[in-house]
Amino acid sequence: MKKLFLALLCLLLIISVVSCNDTSNTNTPDTNDTNNTNDTTNSQPDENTPTQKIDPYKVIIEKYEELLTCKKNNTAIPEASETASSATKAVYELAKKCRTPLDMGYAKKDINGDGTNELIFTESTLDIVAIFTVKNGKVAPLITREDINFLIWLDENGLIRMRQFIMEGQYITARKYLVYEISDGNLKERIAIGCDAMEQGDWHKLEGDQKISVSKEEWDALYSQYDICPLAWDEREYTKNYAGLTVASFFEAATPEVTSYMLTSIIKDDRVEISSVSTESVSFTMFYSKYSESDLIFETEITASALHNDGKYLFDNGTVKGSIEFGRDSVWVNIDESTNEHIDCRSYLFDYMRSN
């Protein structure tokens, strides 16, 4: 009887030990427990874990900046490797042809509203030198400026416009006008027309290298769809006012100096005269003419002192309010508010520097 009692006591002790072990196991973290504080599902991402989509243009922008620095320092630009992408090869060629490396910048803009930003390389005057897009997951050039006789400009409707002067020696012998849209990562022509140097004859449409003669009336109708600039506007002014580009410069902004600026593309006496410059401000006078479809209707002078603020110079003389931006040998005057009905609120370009 005594042995039976001892056996039962031992059995109770064993059950007690097993029970304690099971209880301790319920406090051990379970890797499948969604409330587990060690579960990496709900933890903060590691600093090396990408949290945003990688910019597809980063490498191209950095390469162009590197090559522009070579140009700025008068260092020879090497040849691109034979295995380089088409975008990289295009950037090498752009750098070789660059006229104003210190004046270059870039913008990213979804031009046609398809959800993909395009990359735009441009001078501060908004002389666009190239537009890139992403096609089949790779960066590809859409259009590049072959030489200074090309003008590429943008509108507010997702279209890319181009004008080309055809040169023979130092003389313009013909002109081309083209309007493109972006379709599936490619340029698609909407309008392609040409004429002689003075726009007085040889009216034709373009299909590849082929010229198709058209009447003057048909040509004029097509040209009117290309030339949407208001009277006395420059195409680059249209881009500035309507395309919505925010341009980042590759290098430091130009330093203002006492001088005068004019606009080379429009025959009129509008100009900006910088009368004084300091580290905090610039004083200027803008001679402004407003045109109607037939006659000059208003001439005025806008005089103001602009205070330096975040790369721009801001002014408010009680009649007009806006900013002035300096490029290399150029200036933009941006009028944001005006109490004078004859002074239009828009951006004005002056792209030629002359001494006072």
Side-chain angles (χ1 to χ4, degrees):
M1 188 71 176
K2 185 176 181 180
K3 289 182 179 181
L4 180 60
F5 174 77
L6 289 174
L8 289 173
L9 182 60
C10 289
L11 180 60
L12 288 173
L13 288 173
I14 291 171
I15 292 173
S16 176
V17 170
V18 170
S19 176
C20 288
N21 286 339
D22 286 344
T23 303
S24 63
N25 285 340
T26 60
N27 295 322
T28 301
D30 185 345
T31 56
N32 295 319
D33 186 354
T34 57
N35 294 320
N36 177 13
T37 56
N38 293 325
D39 185 358
T40 57
T41 302
N42 296 319
S43 64
Q44 294 296 319
D46 182 82
E47 64 180 1
N48 296 318
T49 301
T51 58
Q52 295 181 346
K53 187 177 180 180
I54 296 174
D55 181 0
Y57 297 120
K58 183 175 184 293
V59 172
I60 293 297
I61 292 170
E62 291 176 348
K63 176 56 68 175
Y64 193 41
E65 182 174 16
E66 174 191 325
L67 297 173
L68 289 176
T69 302
C70 291
K71 190 90 170 188
K72 174 176 72 77
N73 295 332
N74 295 317
T75 303
I77 295 176
E79 296 295 328
S81 69
E82 294 183 359
T83 58
S85 67
S86 61
T88 299
K89 289 178 179 177
V91 163
Y92 272 80
E93 292 304 311
L94 288 171
K96 290 177 184 178
K97 296 175 182 178
C98 182
R99 301 173 298 174
T100 55
L102 289 173
D103 211 26
M104 296 305 301
Y106 65 92
K108 298 173 191 174
K109 170 77 175 180
D110 182 1
I111 293 175
N112 63 337
D114 65 355
T116 298
N117 276 339
E118 276 68 48
L119 171 65
I120 301 160
F121 288 138
T122 179
E123 299 174 13
S124 65
T125 53
L126 289 185
D127 281 281
I128 295 171
V129 301
I131 302 175
F132 294 78
T133 193
V134 177
K135 181 181 178 181
N136 299 325
K138 296 182 179 180
V139 177
L142 271 176
I143 186 171
T144 59
R145 185 178 69 186
E146 299 299 322
D147 53 50
I148 61 173
N149 299 310
F150 275 67
L151 174 67
I152 301 169
W153 55 291
L154 303 175
D155 67 16
E156 68 274 38
N157 297 312
L159 300 178
I160 300 171
R161 298 165 187 270
M162 192 192 81
R163 183 195 70 207
Q164 181 186 5
F165 294 153
I166 310 301
M167 305 290 295
E168 289 186 9
Q170 296 180 341
Y171 300 97
I172 301 173
T173 59
R175 300 170 185 245
K176 291 182 181 179
Y177 302 95
L178 300 104
V179 179
Y180 300 101
E181 63 179 305
I182 303 173
S183 178
D184 297 325
N186 298 302
L187 283 186
K188 181 180 177 181
E189 284 184 2
R190 280 199 175 185
I191 297 171
I193 56 176
C195 63
D196 68 15
M198 302 305 294
E199 295 184 349
Q200 294 180 345
D202 186 24
W203 317 110
H204 56 267
K205 294 193 296 186
L206 298 165
E207 292 186 3
D209 295 329
Q210 185 179 5
K211 294 182 180 180
I212 301 173
S213 295
V214 297
S215 68
K216 176 68 162 58
E217 291 73 22
E218 183 179 353
W219 194 93
D220 284 343
L222 291 169
Y223 179 76
S224 67
Q225 295 178 54
Y226 162 84
D227 185 17
I228 58 175
C229 279
L231 183 68
W233 279 48
D234 182 276
E235 291 89 345
R236 296 164 294 177
E237 291 177 327
Y238 199 96
T239 299
K240 176 80 166 179
N241 284 276
Y242 289 107
L245 300 183
T246 300
V247 179
S249 299
F250 283 108
F251 303 106
E252 292 183 0
T255 302
E257 56 184 286
V258 175
T259 189
S260 295
Y261 300 87
M262 298 188 70
L263 179 61
T264 55
S265 63
I266 306 295
I267 302 175
K268 59 180 181 178
D269 196 37
D270 285 11
R271 64 192 185 277
V272 170
E273 295 181 353
I274 308 299
S275 56
S276 67
V277 174
S278 71
T279 56
E280 294 85 16
S281 66
V282 296
S283 296
F284 71 93
T285 299
M286 175 178 165
F287 297 86
Y288 171 68
S289 304
K290 181 175 178 178
Y291 286 74
S292 68
E293 290 294 331
S294 56
D295 300 308
L296 175 69
I297 63 170
F298 189 76
E299 292 182 331
T300 189
E301 298 179 12
I302 301 169
T303 299
S305 181
L307 300 179
H308 185 261
N309 186 303
D310 193 25
K312 292 184 180 181
Y313 291 83
L314 308 181
F315 62 84
D316 183 354
N317 70 354
T319 301
V320 293
K321 180 178 180 180
S323 63
I324 184 167
E325 302 171 77
F326 291 90
R328 314 282 167 175
D329 303 334
S330 66
V331 66
W332 285 97
V333 178
N334 311 302
I335 296 181
D336 302 323
E337 298 178 18
S338 171
T339 60
N340 187 327
E341 62 177 342
H342 298 301
I343 301 176
D344 294 335
C345 293
R346 68 176 182 90
S347 294
Y348 300 82
L349 173 63
F350 302 88
D351 66 347
Y352 170 71
M353 181 188 291
R354 70 175 191 180
S355 299
N356 282 335

